[in-house]
C-alpha cells in the first residue's frame, strides 16, 4: 500500500466544528482520547475507528491561560 492509497481526514471539534490539529488515518484507532480544540479551548473525550468519531464526554471547563 503506497502513501497515496491511505485515506486521512482531519478531526473536527464536536463543540464548535472547526478543524483541530489532529489528523487520522483509516487504520487509526483511538479510545478515550482527550481531544483539545485550539479555537474554543475546550476538551472532549473521543473514540475513533475507521475515520468514525464518537464523542464520549464533552468537558465544559476551559483551560486557564
Amino acid at each position: 500500500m503506497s502513501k497515496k492509497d491511505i485515506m486521512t481526514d482531519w478531526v473536527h471539534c464536536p463543540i464548535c466544528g472547526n478543524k483541530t490539529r489532529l489528523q487520522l488515518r483509516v487504520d487509526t484507532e483511538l479510545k478515550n482520547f482527550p481531544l483539545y480544540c485550539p479555537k474554543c479551548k475546550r476538551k472532549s473525550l473521543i473514540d475513533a475507528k475507521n475515520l468514525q468519531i464518537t464523542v464520549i464526554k464533552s468537558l465544559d471547563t476551559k483551560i486557564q491561560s
Side-chain angles (χ1 to χ4, degrees):
M1 194 178 253
S2 69
K3 287 186 178 182
K4 293 181 181 180
D5 294 338
I6 298 173
M7 276 187 56
T8 60
D9 195 15
W10 290 99
V11 177
H12 292 266
C13 174
I15 298 168
C16 69
N18 287 333
K19 278 198 305 190
T20 61
R21 295 179 180 142
L22 184 69
Q23 193 173 19
L24 294 178
R25 292 174 23 155
V26 169
D27 57 350
T28 303
E29 290 186 25
L30 299 172
K31 292 188 181 193
N32 295 326
F33 183 80
L35 178 68
Y36 174 74
C37 177
K39 176 143 186 173
C40 68
K41 296 179 176 35
R42 295 182 187 237
K43 285 196 231 179
S44 300
L45 283 178
I46 63 167
D47 285 346
K49 187 174 183 179
N50 295 329
L51 298 179
Q52 296 295 319
I53 298 170
T54 307
V55 178
I56 300 170
K57 183 178 178 183
S58 291
L59 306 172
D60 291 334
T61 58
K62 286 192 175 184
I63 304 296
Q64 296 280 335
S65 46

